[in-house]
Amino acid sequence: MQSTILFERPRFQPPRSTDVSAISVIEKKREGGSLTPEEIRFFVEGFTSGAIPDYQAAAFCMAVFLKGMSRRETADLTMSMAESGEMLDLSNVLGYVVDKHSSGGVGDKTSLVVLPLVVAAGVPVAKMSGRGLSYSGGTLDKLESISGFNVSLTTTQFIDQVQKIGIVLAGQTADLAPADAKFYALRDVTGTVPSKPLIASSIMSKKIAAGAQGIVLDVKCGLGAFMQTVEDARELAQIMVDIGKSHNRQVTALISDMNQPLGSAVGNALEVREAIATLQGQGPDDFVEHCVVVAGHMLRLAGKASAADISDVRPMLETRLKDGSAWEVFRKLVEAQGGDVSQIEHPEKLPIAPVIQDVVAPRSGYLSGIDAREIGLASVDLGAGRQKKGDPIDYAVGVMIHRKVGELVQAGEPLFTVHARTQQAADQARLRILAAHQWVDKIGLPIFYDVILDS
Ligand code: URA
């Protein structure tokens, strides 16, 4: 009998700790293996120093995207990325350091209101923020629509300011979690952003490196978020809470809606105007509620509130928005960082687009959806965001949404306003934003779903 020789595909051999290489780490993850803390640290350090090139780091990100990581691996990746640069310790300056982070959204100007609000409630904050990416806006871009506002502070200036006035809001220094900046830039162009372990380690490494002891995470879910469903957002949130626990940080994760834009304004100066109105007690209801809840949980982590539903600090926070004290803190922040205070005192002095076009409802009905991602992309097309990293942005342009999901609107009523640089840009945005609105004639459940006849 003729024997059959079977050629087996060589099985992947995990590297011994002495012969870790970039390729062995990539191959191990590609095959679904579990990386040791040493292998993860080797890869992160190698990539940060430049010893491991972009193409291998891109392959690593794709392997993690496809095969995932355990909680332990994700916690190790977070710590290696946090320790890839300077680790800030603000505990001598602030006592307990409380921070917040949003996973990114459309119309999300929360930090502009929440930080002054928390400070007005007696807890100092020192926050590092980021720029907008794709359709999701960034706090630094919004602040820079105020002339002169300086987001590039040295670590010493950052610490001095929080010591002096109790609040500082600036860009992340190049030394803070540099591995994340490198990984994020690669992920953005290799289709590997929406990976739970990669998002969790990216966010948490920055917060840990910035010295946060208590962290409120605002995890967005819906059409305009990386996580489209509540289940996915909950899982991402739980991963980050666990990372916090394994590194001795207190983390509260809020899962918030990003199916429609937050508040009414989308676009940099427009959002600053809405933040100012909110700080003066005149914000849109959904945005005010969002800010009060985030601020309440920051106070809770800082030991200034005890109720899990923040009911014990809610009235005080609402008062701080109405009595001008949160607004006064924002004014001090702008002044301290070189911003033109007259522009925030008179928001009509903030950049204004040359073309402002009101758009009315094309029909009557209930609004059943306003696709946040489409609204974000329309404002990027208008120039409010970047097509790619480093592109200049137009602070004046964007959109004001006048009606929200669930409202009954009559044909001809104001629906939104486009703020554009040119008439052509306004016309394009109008069509895209109109198409992002979905309508139904009635809300509630139908009595019958269908009728099937026998012929
Ligand atoms: N925000 C971050 O900081 N990192 C991610 O990966 C996604 C959102």
Side-chain angles (χ1 to χ4, degrees):
M1 197 176 75
Q2 209 183 341
S3 65
T4 311
I5 301 169
L6 290 174
F7 286 96
E8 258 190 26
R9 194 169 148 259
R11 285 189 70 78
F12 173 72
Q13 296 292 323
R16 283 173 282 122
S17 55
T18 48
D19 56 19
V20 177
S21 66
I23 189 161
S24 71
V25 173
I26 297 166
E27 285 178 342
K28 187 174 182 185
K29 187 41 75 187
R30 182 195 70 198
E31 299 301 314
S34 175
L35 300 176
T36 64
E38 296 73 31
E39 286 167 329
I40 290 172
R41 186 160 292 271
F42 167 84
F43 202 94
V44 171
E45 283 177 1
F47 180 46
T48 311
S49 70
I52 294 177
D54 278 5
Y55 51 83
Q56 285 185 312
F60 172 82
C61 289
M62 187 55 83
V64 174
F65 180 90
L66 294 173
K67 298 292 173 162
M69 273 187 157
S70 68
R71 297 290 167 94
R72 195 272 305 149
E73 286 176 291
T74 310
D76 288 337
L77 179 61
T78 305
M79 223 44 207
S80 294
M81 296 209 302
E83 288 170 0
S84 65
E86 131 188 294
M87 300 278 283
L88 220 55
D89 181 0
L90 296 174
S91 56
N92 296 340
V93 184
L94 297 183
Y96 185 84
V97 183
V98 68
D99 201 350
K100 75 161 276 276
H101 188 90
S102 155
S103 63
V106 179
D108 187 1
K109 70 280 307 170
T110 307
S111 291
L112 301 185
V113 173
V114 159
L115 267 53
L117 181 54
V118 168
V119 175
V123 175
V125 280
K127 177 164 168 52
M128 293 190 184
S129 280
R131 297 203 175 271
L133 200 63
S134 178
Y135 58 86
S136 97
T139 302
L140 300 185
D141 298 327
K142 293 169 205 198
L143 285 169
E144 281 180 344
S145 59
I146 305 166
S147 305
F149 195 101
N150 178 18
V151 297
S152 309
L153 303 185
T154 62
T155 306
T156 314
Q157 289 170 324
F158 186 82
I159 294 173
D160 283 354
Q161 185 174 314
V162 73
Q163 271 180 316
K164 221 152 107 201
I165 64 165
I167 185 167
V168 59
L169 180 47
Q172 195 178 304
T173 61
D175 281 343
L176 203 100
D180 173 61
K182 287 192 81 177
F183 271 119
Y184 198 91
L186 263 192
R187 286 168 56 212
D188 194 35
V189 292
T190 54
T192 52
V193 170
S195 149
K196 290 180 193 121
L198 295 180
I199 295 177
S201 53
S202 164
I203 292 177
M204 292 300 287
S205 62
K206 286 179 286 216
K207 298 290 110 181
I208 291 172
Q213 290 156 296
I215 305 160
V216 174
L217 297 171
D218 181 10
V219 183
K220 307 281 186 202
C221 75
L223 298 170
F226 293 124
M227 297 296 117
Q228 304 269 299
T229 65
V230 176
E231 291 68 37
D232 278 338
R234 191 177 284 124
E235 195 185 330
L236 174 63
Q238 190 64 55
I239 295 171
M240 293 194 277
V241 170
D242 290 351
I243 292 173
K245 226 184 262 168
S246 66
H247 296 300
N248 255 339
R249 316 290 155 129
Q250 286 180 288
V251 182
T252 298
L254 308 169
I255 296 166
S256 65
D257 181 71
M258 192 32 74
N259 283 298
Q260 65 178 338
L262 184 58
S264 304
V266 180
N268 300 288
L270 295 173
E271 292 188 47
V272 171
R273 281 199 194 95
E274 187 163 80
I276 292 169
T278 307
L279 286 161
Q280 295 176 341
Q282 283 156 19
D285 293 348
D286 66 329
F287 182 52
V288 171
E289 173 64 12
H290 189 267
C291 292
V292 166
V293 171
V294 174
H297 282 283
M298 289 175 78
L299 293 186
R300 190 166 167 267
L301 287 181
K304 302 268 183 195
S306 52
D309 64 356
I310 63 131
S311 53
D312 50 346
V313 284
R314 177 181 278 279
M316 180 269 288
L317 287 169
E318 287 168 353
T319 303
R320 295 284 178 276
L321 286 178
K322 289 190 190 122
D323 70 6
S325 46
W327 154 249
E328 188 47 40
V329 176
F330 183 69
R331 223 187 65 81
K332 271 196 202 150
L333 170 75
V334 171
E335 191 172 32
Q337 288 185 228
D340 180 350
V341 175
S342 79
Q343 279 187 323
I344 58 159
E345 285 174 341
H346 304 281
E348 67 281 4
K349 291 189 182 171
L350 285 163
I352 294 181
V355 179
I356 298 178
Q357 190 178 97
D358 291 323
V359 180
V360 298
R363 54 162 285 178
S364 299
Y366 288 94
L367 270 176
S368 59
I370 306 174
D371 186 330
R373 188 168 194 276
E374 277 298 301
I375 306 293
L377 288 170
S379 41
V380 172
D381 287 347
L382 284 166
R386 301 180 179 81
Q387 305 283 357
K388 59 180 187 329
K389 213 173 159 189
D391 279 353
I393 55 174
D394 187 336
Y395 297 113
V397 300
V399 54
M400 293 297 295
I401 302 288
H402 303 311
R403 308 303 292 264
K404 304 286 295 221
V405 172
E407 289 187 32
L408 175 62
V409 184
Q410 300 301 331
E413 285 181 351
L415 193 60
F416 58 88
T417 302
V418 176
H419 294 242
R421 190 56 49 193
T422 64
Q423 189 58 50
Q424 194 193 0
D427 290 340
Q428 275 169 4
R430 174 173 50 83
L431 294 178
R432 190 164 193 173
I433 297 168
L434 270 175
H437 284 70
Q438 285 119 38
W439 302 85
V440 287
D441 292 327
K442 285 183 177 174
I443 48 171
L445 293 172
I447 300 172
F448 298 101
Y449 286 98
D450 205 353
V451 179
I452 298 170
L453 301 172
D454 60 357
S455 62

